[in-house]
Amino acid sequence: MNKEFKYQNKRIFYRISGIGNPVVLIHGFGEDGNIWNNQVEILKDKFRLIVPDLPGSGNSEMIDDMSMEGMADLVKAIIDQEASPAAGKRATLIGHSMGGYITLAFAEKYPGYLNSFGLFHSTAYADSEEKKASRQKGIEFTREHGVFAFLKATLPNLFSQQTREERPEMINELVRASNNFSAPAIVSYYEAMMKRPDRTHMLQKATVPVLFIMGKNDTIIPMEDVLAQSHLPGKSYIYIFLNSGHMGMLEEKEKCKEILEKFLLEIDETTTNI
Ligand code: MLT
């Protein structure tokens, strides 16, 4: 079911399906909640899936505070509507890349809401100076050439070389779907990612299980960086997509379903909801 509500007077869109413990799937940069469609189809038999379009993506309007923390507040507002922890349901948040940065901000602000969380091709590290400089160039390119030209040039880099060669149509589809982004939304995501702090402490002090999913050929969030932080939580689940870049949910969708289902079922068995 699709839902819309007003958050700080802006239209926010999300999808909700299934029955069970709440699982929030948060998409990354240049995408919307549809990126999780394959996984939702399978997981909705066992879980209550909440899949927002982040502000400025898909059918959701931008909000005043587009920081990772501001977007984490919005995710909390959606959970409050659909699965309040007061009703005894803690949620699992799984965030793809930028969605993972939001997940970490959420874990910092609202730890009592979480049963577990997952970083899906994501990292607790802040941007390096080099990364900030390259984002700044991206902002300038977007302002000069337009947002679609920027996304058309950059989105293919999210995929492995093998995917680019063998499945160009899947990549073209993502590029086509990105044609409704506005330049202000893309610029504010980049600015917010540049400003986000290092949150490795959130892994060090995690009291809930943490899932790490990485792509062997991911050039955006290198596997080595994720491996270097995956030992920090008390309990980690670690998976590597051997044939993926940054988009395992599309590049290895069957494997992705398996991993998420296994993790979520195990969390259900081993954690007690309040
Ligand atoms: C994403 O996929 O959300 C972004 O590529 C993340 C990033 O640029 O750090």
Side-chain angles (χ1 to χ4, degrees):
M1 185 197 305
N2 295 338
K3 287 202 177 180
E4 273 186 17
F5 77 120
K6 285 279 178 193
Y7 178 79
Q8 298 171 353
N9 233 12
K10 301 289 169 20
R11 187 187 67 247
I12 298 297
F13 175 92
Y14 60 94
R15 304 150 190 80
I16 182 125
S17 50
I19 297 171
N21 284 332
V23 176
V24 187
L25 300 176
I26 308 179
H27 67 81
F29 173 87
E31 306 159 2
D32 63 30
N34 287 320
I35 204 80
W36 298 110
N37 283 351
N38 290 316
Q39 288 70 41
V40 167
E41 253 334 281
I42 293 294
L43 297 173
K44 72 178 185 206
D45 289 344
K46 301 190 174 92
F47 306 98
R48 183 149 183 79
L49 290 163
I50 304 171
V51 187
D53 282 352
L54 289 171
S57 295
N59 290 311
S60 292
E61 291 179 307
M62 286 175 73
I63 55 176
D64 293 340
D65 182 358
M66 292 287 286
S67 65
M68 298 302 134
E69 298 76 18
M71 290 195 274
D73 292 342
L74 165 66
V75 171
K76 174 186 173 285
I78 297 176
I79 296 175
D80 282 341
Q81 294 205 153
E82 297 295 341
S84 163
K89 297 278 182 207
R90 290 199 200 188
T92 293
L93 259 63
I94 296 182
H96 177 229
S97 204
M98 183 177 79
Y101 311 155
I102 296 168
T103 297
L104 285 165
F106 184 99
E108 189 163 70
K109 292 188 91 168
Y110 308 112
Y113 276 63
L114 287 177
N115 214 12
S116 61
F117 64 89
L119 299 183
F120 193 114
H121 299 309
S122 193
T123 175
Y125 296 161
D127 273 3
S128 64
E129 289 311 311
E130 195 188 347
K131 184 86 185 181
K132 285 183 192 166
S134 110
R135 290 205 202 275
Q136 194 52 47
K137 279 195 190 144
I139 289 173
E140 282 152 24
F141 184 96
T142 300
R143 287 190 173 132
E144 202 175 325
H145 302 282
V147 63
F148 189 57
F150 175 65
L151 291 171
K152 206 170 155 191
T154 52
L155 289 179
N157 301 331
L158 303 180
F159 297 85
S160 70
Q161 179 67 29
Q162 187 187 349
T163 308
R164 287 203 295 264
E165 281 165 16
E166 292 175 5
R167 295 154 79 192
E169 193 38 46
M170 186 175 74
I171 301 173
N172 291 340
E173 204 179 308
L174 184 72
V175 171
R176 275 195 301 274
S178 75
N179 73 359
N180 67 345
F181 277 101
S182 71
I186 291 301
V187 168
S188 45
Y189 292 144
Y190 261 26
E191 286 174 345
M193 288 195 277
M194 286 158 82
K195 283 192 197 127
R196 77 184 195 282
D198 178 283
R199 285 205 163 90
T200 40
H201 59 279
M202 288 314 301
L203 300 180
Q204 271 149 356
K205 66 177 198 192
T207 54
V208 294
V210 182
L211 168 72
F212 294 89
I213 295 184
M214 55 206 103
K216 189 168 176 219
N217 304 310
D218 190 345
T219 53
I220 313 288
I221 306 288
M223 181 175 72
E224 294 69 28
D225 282 6
V226 187
L227 283 174
Q229 51 196 276
S230 57
H231 70 284
L232 294 174
K235 186 164 188 182
S236 300
Y237 291 72
I238 301 168
Y239 294 94
I240 302 173
F241 286 117
L242 295 177
N243 298 310
S244 293
H246 190 61
M247 300 298 288
M249 77 287 272
L250 299 178
E251 297 180 273
E252 286 177 77
K253 65 180 185 189
E254 294 305 321
K255 183 87 197 149
C256 180
K257 277 186 271 187
E258 240 174 71
I259 291 171
L260 292 182
E261 189 172 27
K262 189 168 185 298
F263 172 72
L264 293 168
L265 286 176
E266 194 164 324
I267 294 305
D268 263 8
E269 276 169 24
T270 55
T271 55
T272 322
N273 261 315
I274 46 172

